[in-house]
Amino acid sequence: MRSKVAQRILAETPEETKVFARMYADIVVRIHELLKENHLNQKELADKLEKRPSEINKWLTGEHNFTLRSLAKLQVELGEPIINVPHRKSITAADGTAGYVTVYKNTAAITNDAEFKTVWKKSKPNTKTPLANVS
């Protein structure tokens, strides 16, 4: 359980600060994934970007405010998108109803051949039983 001080600080933290922290963490995790996939370390990335290794370290430890330009450079060097901006595409279902689909990859979506169903699956009820009651 969180302490009362931590709870108070969290309650007083502006929502945009919480969103920023989550987004920054997601970006850093994505960069680390791409470094691992490309078999690169921070020094090699720094060499590719013509930056000092200490600057790359700041980027990946939360001491840097990413710009779109720095994210674009990273994306070019790592060969994969780091962030994706969703796009809404209008669709028409087989029954004639119109709707939208959200596309998260920054490429054109072809929805003509896709079949869309409006049936929802029923989820399983949560039937987990606690192993012990701890007070």
Side-chain angles (χ1 to χ4, degrees):
M1 175 173 232
R2 292 185 182 140
S3 71
K4 289 182 181 181
V5 173
Q7 288 175 340
R8 182 179 51 79
I9 291 170
L10 192 57
E12 293 173 357
T13 302
E15 191 61 30
E16 67 268 12
T17 302
K18 294 176 190 177
V19 170
F20 174 83
R22 281 192 300 267
M23 289 174 71
Y24 198 97
D26 289 344
I27 289 170
V28 169
V29 167
R30 177 71 176 143
I31 293 168
H32 279 288
E33 289 172 349
L34 293 173
L35 285 172
K36 188 174 181 180
E37 286 175 17
N38 289 308
H39 307 289
L40 292 172
N41 60 35
Q42 290 183 25
K43 184 182 182 323
E44 293 166 331
L45 179 62
D47 291 342
K48 284 180 171 259
L49 295 172
E50 298 177 352
K51 302 279 185 189
R52 293 184 317 273
S54 61
E55 186 172 354
I56 300 301
N57 187 53
K58 285 181 182 179
W59 288 11
L60 301 179
T61 57
E63 298 178 33
H64 177 77
N65 193 5
F66 286 109
T67 63
L68 288 176
R69 186 165 311 281
S70 61
L71 289 172
K73 286 180 182 180
L74 282 166
Q75 181 170 318
V76 167
E77 290 303 327
L78 296 173
E80 291 276 335
I82 293 171
I83 59 173
N84 289 309
V85 178
H87 296 276
R88 287 178 54 142
K89 300 289 182 184
S90 61
I91 60 164
T92 303
D95 63 1
T97 58
Y100 290 94
V101 64
T102 301
V103 181
Y104 284 94
K105 189 170 169 111
N106 292 335
T107 58
I110 300 171
T111 58
N112 299 342
D113 299 332
E115 181 181 333
F116 297 96
K117 297 182 180 179
T118 56
V119 178
W120 292 89
K121 287 185 178 180
K122 198 172 193 178
S123 63
K124 294 180 183 178
N126 188 0
T127 58
K128 294 180 182 176
T129 55
L131 296 175
N133 289 329
V134 179
S135 301

